[in-house]
């Protein structure tokens, strides 16, 4: 699972893609996006599990998902979301760069501290 502390939400992009959705459809869509974020971008395409994520009955989920399905990349085995995948990659790369920079900074400081003791 993702250890990233937050998921960015680009409000104007979100609204531009979802203005046609009902309140219930918005809720299901956002819950699925958040679950995708926590699951590193992929959820099993199992309607009963997806219905539970959305806090909907199986029958209600099927009706709601008909309206939001086009916003996802759906295969026989999984559902994904293009923007979530890109944002996860971006956040992971940023985190990795920060981790590497921190390690370099820590190594430089340790070297500096070790050399000063020799003087």
């Amino acid at each position: 699972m993702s250890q990233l502390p937050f998921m960015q939400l680009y409000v104007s992009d979100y609204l531009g893609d979802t203005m046609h959705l009902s309140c219930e459809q918005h809720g299901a869509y956002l819950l699925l996006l958040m679950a995708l974020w926590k699951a590193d971008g992929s959820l099993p395409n199992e309607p009963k599990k997806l219905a539970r994520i959305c806090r909907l009955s199986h029958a209600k989920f099927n009706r709601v998902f008909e309206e939001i399905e086009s916003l996802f990349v759906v295969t026989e085995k999984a559902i994904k979301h293009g923007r979530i995948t890109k944002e996860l990659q971006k956040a992971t790369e940023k985190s990795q760069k920060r981790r590497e920079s921190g390690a370099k900074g820590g190594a430089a400081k340790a070297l500096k501290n070790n050399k000063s003791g020799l003087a």
Side-chain angles (χ1 to χ4, degrees):
M1 290 214 167
S2 176
Q3 297 301 313
L4 300 170
F6 65 91
M7 177 181 89
Q8 289 187 319
L9 178 65
Y10 298 88
V11 175
S12 59
D13 290 347
Y14 177 85
L15 291 175
D17 292 341
T18 62
M19 289 300 288
H20 64 287
L21 299 180
S22 70
C23 186
E24 187 171 53
Q25 292 161 350
H26 274 285
Y29 182 56
L30 281 169
L31 287 169
L32 287 171
L33 290 179
M34 289 184 272
L36 282 164
W37 183 263
K38 296 265 309 154
D40 289 327
S42 182
L43 292 171
N45 188 0
E46 299 176 25
K48 286 184 180 179
K49 287 183 180 181
L50 297 174
R52 281 195 302 273
I53 289 169
C54 295
R55 281 64 162 182
L56 296 170
S57 69
H58 184 60
K60 184 77 143 186
F61 172 76
N62 288 335
R63 288 192 300 275
V64 168
F65 196 67
E66 282 179 14
E67 298 298 320
I68 63 173
E69 183 175 6
S70 65
L71 300 169
F72 296 95
V73 176
V74 180
T75 66
E76 189 175 316
K77 294 187 179 197
I79 72 164
K80 298 180 180 192
H81 189 272
R83 183 68 177 259
I84 293 292
T85 300
K86 282 195 287 190
E87 292 299 321
L88 278 167
Q89 287 172 339
K90 191 165 75 173
T92 300
E93 289 169 7
K94 191 177 205 177
S95 179
Q96 182 64 30
K97 286 179 185 174
R98 287 180 175 171
R99 191 175 305 116
E100 290 168 3
S101 294
K104 287 178 185 176
K109 184 174 182 177
L111 184 60
K112 179 181 174 184
N113 289 342
N114 286 342
K115 285 186 178 180
S116 66
L118 296 175

